[in-house]
Amino acid sequence: MEVDAAIIGGGVVGLACASALARAGKTTVVLEKFRTLGSVTTSRNSEVIHAGLYYAPGSLKATTCVRGAALLYAWCAERQVPHARCGKLVVATSDVELGALDALAARAKENGATVELVGRDRIAELEPNVRAIAALHSPSTGIVSSHALALSLAADVESHGGILAKARRVVAAEPAADRWKLACEGPAGDETVTAARVVNAAGLWADEIASLFGVTLAQRFMKGSYFHVKRAVTRALVYPLPPADGSLGIHTTVDLAGAVRLGPDAEPARSREDYGVDESRRSVFFEAASRYLQNLRIDDLTPDCAGIRPKHASGDFELRAERGVVHLAGIESPGLTAALALGERVAMLLS
């Protein structure tokens, strides 16, 4: 098979890149190692549409998050992808946290996010079960069905002539004149794809794929577990102030059916498929959430799922273009939100 562009990885970021390239008139193939699209990081996260509160101004995370959120809301509305602009509170539970809350508000505004600082009365209106003295309210934060989003992107790729090649594992890459020859293991045996441009959107395996092209990417892996909450203790999203471990803290999220989860936490992953949830961590989750939630009981919590986050050494996304190949590394949160903006950038780089 010969194409203009081969995208390695069929999560939302890879599919967004494929969509952008196919729309630009490039013959496109998505090479996904698993039999289902979006079955790894895409399907194991909080499904939040982030507004851009946390990220260093001017960073790739900040710029692609803000741009990506605008693109994502428009995409979902146009294609009837289930989503909701439910809003979010980031809470301060003591006076010592007020300075950090003010600093977060300033950073969010610098990034272009619409936020407001609110007090106890407004918090009680928005979230009666939340215990806090002040909060940062982000009305444009939302939630989306990541599964439906992936399907809509895949449909868009195919509608523009792209090919979705599932169960294709890329095992080698070699230059062939001005193209790349990719060796794949597929259901029918060995296959070869020749492409003028390649996008490495392999997520947790982006570093391994990069090594096939002689490129070193610095990724490490953090595990985040979730616990389901049996009762609807919040109406929307409630976050603590971010802790020092680089995560967003054990927060409360809702899905489109109204189900509530706590998480994720952050601990080093033992492997890229370390998806077991340790039930003994129930007390850790309960204590963390009880700092800002009233009426939560420890027996409300049951183990849910876990995800693995690829983290780059810089703390930012990496988007590196070399010899007709774009490598994406460290695509953790807000990668789901940023997907369409990342696809837009990749298509520009490979135009």
Side-chain angles (χ1 to χ4, degrees):
M1 179 189 299
E2 288 204 16
V3 293
D4 294 328
I7 292 82
I8 303 171
V12 289
V13 173
L15 291 169
C17 293
S19 168
L21 287 162
R23 283 173 167 270
K26 310 298 183 190
T27 56
T28 303
V29 63
V30 176
L31 303 171
E32 167 55 48
K33 69 182 288 188
F34 296 108
R35 294 185 178 275
T36 304
L37 297 170
S39 63
V40 188
T41 308
T42 294
S43 66
R44 293 175 173 273
N45 61 79
S46 301
E47 297 187 307
V48 171
I49 303 174
H50 287 282
L53 312 185
Y54 304 100
Y55 319 110
S59 66
L60 262 179
K61 282 187 176 182
T63 54
T64 60
C65 179
V66 173
R67 171 67 176 161
L71 292 172
L72 183 53
Y73 277 123
W75 179 280
C76 291
E78 182 179 341
R79 292 162 178 79
Q80 298 183 319
V81 175
H83 69 290
R85 203 182 294 247
C86 59
K88 162 179 163 178
L89 291 177
V90 182
V91 299
T93 57
S94 66
D95 289 340
V96 297
E97 293 183 321
L98 293 177
L101 193 69
D102 288 339
L104 183 61
R107 171 169 282 195
K109 290 174 181 176
E110 188 173 352
N111 285 338
T114 299
V115 294
E116 61 173 339
L117 288 165
V118 297
R120 283 190 174 95
D121 290 345
R122 181 64 173 143
I123 293 168
E125 289 176 12
L126 293 167
E127 294 289 353
N129 283 328
V130 167
R131 179 193 300 113
I133 62 171
L136 186 65
H137 181 218
S138 170
S140 62
T141 299
I143 51 177
V144 63
S145 167
S146 57
H147 175 70
L149 176 60
L151 290 179
S152 74
L153 287 164
D156 190 68
V157 172
E158 290 188 312
S159 73
H160 288 86
I163 298 168
L164 304 174
K166 291 173 272 189
R168 263 70 169 194
R169 180 170 175 261
V170 177
V171 295
E174 62 179 68
D178 59 345
R179 294 177 163 265
W180 285 96
K181 187 178 291 186
L182 308 177
C184 306
E185 294 176 349
D190 294 342
E191 302 175 13
T192 299
V193 174
T194 302
R197 305 161 182 84
V198 178
V199 179
N200 171 12
L204 298 178
W205 292 271
D207 52 334
E208 291 188 352
I209 293 297
S211 69
L212 302 179
F213 295 88
V215 172
T216 300
L217 294 181
Q219 287 195 147
R220 60 188 177 91
F221 307 99
M222 295 296 289
K223 176 180 177 178
S225 297
Y226 292 87
F227 276 75
H228 172 71
V229 183
K230 295 177 183 177
R231 296 181 298 119
V233 291
T234 62
R235 297 168 177 171
L237 313 177
V238 182
Y239 285 55
L241 282 160
D245 62 10
S247 74
L248 300 184
I250 293 176
H251 48 268
T252 307
T253 62
V254 296
D255 65 18
L256 291 162
V260 179
R261 288 194 302 178
L262 295 179
D265 59 353
E267 56 180 337
R270 292 174 294 182
S271 73
R272 298 173 213 235
E273 298 177 345
D274 180 15
Y275 293 131
V277 178
D278 183 355
E279 190 167 356
S280 70
R281 292 187 64 78
R282 184 199 315 263
S283 60
V284 174
F285 278 70
F286 174 73
E287 289 169 12
S290 292
R291 290 186 59 247
Y292 59 86
L293 284 181
Q294 304 178 88
N295 305 319
L296 185 67
R297 300 189 300 260
I298 194 165
D299 58 3
D300 289 331
L301 276 57
T302 56
D304 191 273
C305 68
I308 310 297
R309 302 192 284 273
K311 299 186 75 70
H312 191 266
S314 68
D316 198 5
F317 297 155
E318 180 174 8
L319 198 159
R320 185 192 306 185
E322 293 187 15
R323 296 185 297 165
V325 184
V326 175
H327 300 278
L328 296 113
I331 310 299
E332 54 168 340
S333 179
L336 182 71
T337 305
L340 291 169
L342 289 168
E344 189 177 64
R345 285 183 177 234
V346 167
M348 289 176 62
L349 284 169
L350 296 179
S351 61

